[in-house]
Amino acid sequence: MRVLTVLIALGTIGATTAQAQPFTIAIRGTPRCVIAVAEKTTPEVKSTIAVQLAQNLQQVYRGAAIPVRSLPVQQAAIVIGTANDFPDVAKRYRLAELGTEGYLIRSEPNRLWLLANTVQGLQHAVYGLLHEIGCRWYFADPVWAVIPYKPTLRVNLNQREQPAFKDRVIWYTWGAPTQTLWNHYHAWFKSNRQGGHFKVNAGHAYEVYIPYSEFEKHPEWFGLVGGKRQPMQLCVSNPEVQQRVIDGVLQFFERNPDQQMASVEPNDGGGYCECEGCKAIGTPSDQAFYLANVVAKAVRTRYPEKWVGLLSYAFHSEPPRFRIENGVYVQVTTGFRYTTLSFEEQVNRIRNLGADVGLYDYFNVPEWSWDLPGASQAARFYALAESIKRYHQLGLNTVSAQASLDWITSGPGYWIAAQLMWNPELDAKALAEDFFQKAFGASAKPMKRLYTRWARGERFSPRGLKLALLDLQQAYRLNKDPQVQARLNQVAVYLHWLRLWMEYDRVARWDEFGKLTSPPDEVLQRARDLVRYTTRITDLGIVHSYFHMSTGWFRYRFAALEKIQGFAWEQAEAWKKESVAPLQPDEIQRDFEDDLRRLSELVPVAVEIEGKQFAGELVPLAERLPKAVQAWGNVARSPLFVESGLHVFIGRSNEMLRLTYTPFDSGHTIDCHWKLQRYNGQSVARGVLRAERGQPATLQVKLGEEGVYALDAGTDYWKAAQLEFERRPLSVWCGRADQQAKPPLCLWLPRLDQPLYFYVPKGTRHFVIGIVQGGFPQSTIELKLADGTIVRREHILSGDQLSIIIDEDKRQYGELAEMPKQAVLPSQQLSIVVPRGADGQIWALSLSSLRCVVELYDVPPFLARHPAELLVPEDSL
């Protein structure tokens, strides 16, 4: 016999095994229930959470407000409360099993229960219910809130929910610079169940406890570096330092009794102590974790439930050589990993040493992405989703993720990530489809096409911008709903900002002598247009205007202005104040039409990158298509001087490979860390090859089995060389290096009379050639067929300000530079339509440029010095 428990004045609660039953909230816009709370519940539940629920539900059915009442009530009710409000109900439904943030939603004919163990959990329950009804808060700006119209509103729910990660925080790098942006972020944070019950505090903190200002009085508290005390890191072996940090942490907990964790993370950067005491402790990692252990022991003596937190990051990425004390929490960073361990090895070793472990991720760092489409991890939301699932499987239990105020390009990723932080079992493709359908309705198809292009991480280019504008044009035509149009307008604002970015970049270039290649007045006008517009759109959160306009990166981005005689930075500061009026819909539409016109002029033909992948063994094309090679007759073998690149070649069994590195000229030096492997990735050998400046050097290495080998020659900036192979099938790989962990093909000083050859497979209708950077402001590119037909000859811009910034970062920090590893540089991309009969043939690519990175899309990414040497994947034939 099923037992029903009757709770006096509350209504009837079925047994835990009973199925949920429909509950009616409203019929034809008229509410059919009240919201009921326990008589002695907290003011936050009654006056905030209950009222908020009533307001949100009213927006759904669009009628009179649902009254909020204290129990007992006789009519149908949405009953909300905590375990303290309803202890018997909480016990019956095993609410304690759901933890601090868990909640229960259960519908019955006369009651809809929203119960949680805490007020925080109850807040999650409210937004869980609204999510089930169809409400969404995709981006922070209210324009992106989706509230469905359901005049008759019924639910049939039986949910038990708790988060997978116990702290979930997506936060703005550089912060929210205005109150409007902060308010929008706070609302988004709450509605997407961000936050947590275990709040991690692991940011840089040494300076908090012992400020740099104390250096003059107490230099002995700071690290000894190169024989001299430096105000960088602390001397962790100094007992006074240890006590100062312990006292600082204890005082923090005294002032903030609700806080669970205090940070003991070192200051950013290097400068770890080299005194005898600290050297005895060990490496920078040992020093960082040693102090964390000392502090944790002291803290746990007074506060047994409190924690100290730090990162496994940069110079202290390596796990320490000793046990980690109870009470030490470690977040492992996904960037700035100065360790040879894989991420998984790093996490497991730290956990095995005794620490509780979470994740510190970089969804978007403005200095890496510059808010360009597809350039952030968040913009590549399918890959991001897989990462979050993998981190959960690895046992990480918190997530702290840096983000930018770039909601148009990264917003889908932020929203999808927030859902997966709560439940990593959700399907990322279904979440993305939820966004496309609910945010855009009838315009979902073109907007999905636009966002999918960005999600693939395509480089920003005029080609991509034109395709995005065409997608948006179709979206405008398909859906006239005012709410959807408002969202499309924000996308249009972002695309216009990209157009202004591009227009400035096209003129902000200088030659090898440092002279601008465009008239100064034009450079000033383009810069002024970009600065004014970036400032105007600050409160929309479309790009991180504060980062672009108010940090030290502003002068890096607009470095070309310093080359204008008489320019002063005060002029640029004045531009920011010229126009702060909010954008109006008619202005947005005028800009959009002008953007379409401009990009149609600049890019007459724009084709999609289809993402064709070519697999199979690499085979000599001359053996498979001899006529395609013979069509080129007796063409000369072209020189090939590379700054970087992967040489792929056929090696003979037990061959003693002898290669001569010939430097480009007397200004270049052979100083190369080379790596040889089988093309399948199996390592064969590595080493260092050096010679005097301008002098050649010879590499000898014994090969094993016959097959395809790949040599990363180790050439570099002002270390460009040609590798003199004896004649054999030999090509250089020219795919998307940042997506395949291979060196990019960077040609040092190619000339138009030195063509390289590639294969266009049968059936190819179009493909794309990308030029990612260039030492000259412009490059000339020519495509030719064997019969002499010139398919395309065009002068294109090469390089941009970002490639200069990243080059400087790489030269300054060397292998430790993170920006070159993370950035997705813009590109100049040519859309090539294949003439009839030109597929299934070898084409010639000629360039006049300097330090240009070449990428081929949708054709096999291999170039050869001679048609007879070309290697191609077997399945491209």
Side-chain angles (χ1 to χ4, degrees), residues 720-743:
Q722 175 169 258
L723 274 62
E724 302 291 348
F725 285 81
E726 62 182 62
R727 293 187 181 273
R728 68 176 72 218
L730 167 70
S731 297
V732 284
W733 182 82
C734 56
R736 183 71 186 271
D738 60 327
Q739 292 183 343
Q740 299 198 36
K742 295 178 181 178

Side-chain angles (χ1 to χ4, degrees), residues 641 664 720 747-751 754 776 847-852:
F641 288 91
F664 178 79
L747 304 177
W748 180 257
L749 190 64
R751 297 182 352 202
Q754 299 171 349
F776 292 153
L847 283 162
S848 174
S849 186
L850 171 67
R851 301 190 64 227
C852 60

Side-chain angles (χ1 to χ4, degrees), residues 621 625 627-628 759-764 834 837-843 876:
L621 188 66
L625 295 176
K627 290 183 178 179
Y759 177 61
V760 177
K762 194 72 175 174
T764 303
V834 178
D839 58 331
Q841 301 297 323
I842 297 173
W843 291 33
S876 69

